[in-house]
């Protein structure tokens, strides 16, 4: 028999936080190197949605809405959000919902 999972909640007035950091190394054709960093810090609303609920559900819901609106053109099948035609409108919509990221590029 599997043990029952512990449900983690917050007390009244508390909020959760999601911290997301992507760090990607790039080597250009000319041999130069870059490091691209993206950071998102999202706090939950003590009287509303948690940060984990927002960071999981909003991107999926927005992507579904954009797909139904035909924003991805002729793209079909299982797609990763690495294509500008997908991630640009998705990021724009997330920013309108209040998500803020910091992005930086370091060259060496």
């Amino acid at each position: 028999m599997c043990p029952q999972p512990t449900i983690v909640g917050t007390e009244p007035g508390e909020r959760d936080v999601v911290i997301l950091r992507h760090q990607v190394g790039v080597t250009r054709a000319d041999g130069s190197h870059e490091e691209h960093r993206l950071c998102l810090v999202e706090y939950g609303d003590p009287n509303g949605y948690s940060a984990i609920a927002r960071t999981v559900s909003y991107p999926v819901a927005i992507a579904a809405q954009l797909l139904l609106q035909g924003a991805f053109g002729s793209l079909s099948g299982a797609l990763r959000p690495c294509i500008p035609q997908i991630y640009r409108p998705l990021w724009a919509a997330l920013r309108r919902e209040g998500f803020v990221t910091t992005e930086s590029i370091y060259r060496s």
Side-chain angles (χ1 to χ4, degrees):
M1 179 172 219
C2 294
Q4 288 291 329
T6 302
I7 298 175
V8 178
T10 56
E11 295 295 322
E14 290 183 336
R15 61 185 182 164
D16 67 331
V17 64
V18 170
I19 301 171
L20 172 73
R21 180 178 175 180
H22 287 280
Q23 189 170 322
V24 178
V26 177
T27 302
R28 300 279 178 200
D30 64 3
S32 63
H33 299 280
E34 295 178 350
E35 184 176 278
H36 295 241
R37 294 180 187 171
L38 180 134
C39 187
L40 173 133
V41 178
E42 180 69 22
Y43 291 95
D45 179 349
N47 300 310
Y49 293 117
S50 67
I52 193 71
R54 285 177 41 86
T55 57
V56 171
S57 62
Y58 278 46
V60 173
I62 290 168
Q65 184 177 29
L66 291 169
L67 180 65
L68 291 172
Q69 293 170 347
F72 304 142
S74 62
L75 296 175
S76 63
L79 302 167
R80 298 181 315 163
C82 300
I83 302 166
Q85 191 175 351
I86 294 174
Y87 69 75
R88 284 185 181 137
L90 185 57
W91 271 119
L94 287 168
R95 286 186 181 105
R96 285 192 298 273
E97 292 295 332
F99 289 88
V100 177
T101 59
T102 56
E103 302 171 41
S104 54
I105 300 174
Y106 300 91
R107 293 179 173 88
S108 58

